[in-house]
Amino acid sequence: MDARAEAPARPKTSGYPAVEDLPPKREKPAMTADERLKLQKELIAARDRQASGGKARGGTARAQPGPTK
């Protein structure tokens, strides 16, 4: 007899997690409402700073197409 013949067959597994396996519910939310509001205000302020900085330099820095042959 061959040693491989006596070994149990390996279970078939895929590289993907099962669809019905959901992570457990969080005990507390990732962010409170106050933290979310603060983060939104910070992101809006950063966006506005970047937008105003681009206007001061002469507009957006888009690549201009060169002459075509």
Side-chain angles (χ1 to χ4, degrees):
M1 281 253 137
D2 190 9
R4 285 180 274 165
E6 296 176 13
R10 289 185 172 181
K12 287 187 176 183
T13 59
S14 70
Y16 300 102
V19 174
E20 63 273 357
D21 288 346
L22 299 174
K25 294 281 186 180
R26 293 179 183 245
E27 291 181 16
K28 64 177 189 170
M31 276 193 234
T32 64
D34 292 336
E35 290 171 335
R36 181 182 296 227
L37 185 61
K38 179 182 175 188
L39 183 59
Q40 284 177 340
K41 287 180 180 179
E42 289 175 1
L43 289 172
I44 290 170
R47 180 190 63 195
D48 293 343
R49 280 193 308 271
Q50 289 180 351
S52 66
K55 290 178 185 175
R57 283 181 270 159
T60 59
R62 290 187 181 157
Q64 298 295 326
T68 57
K69 292 183 182 181

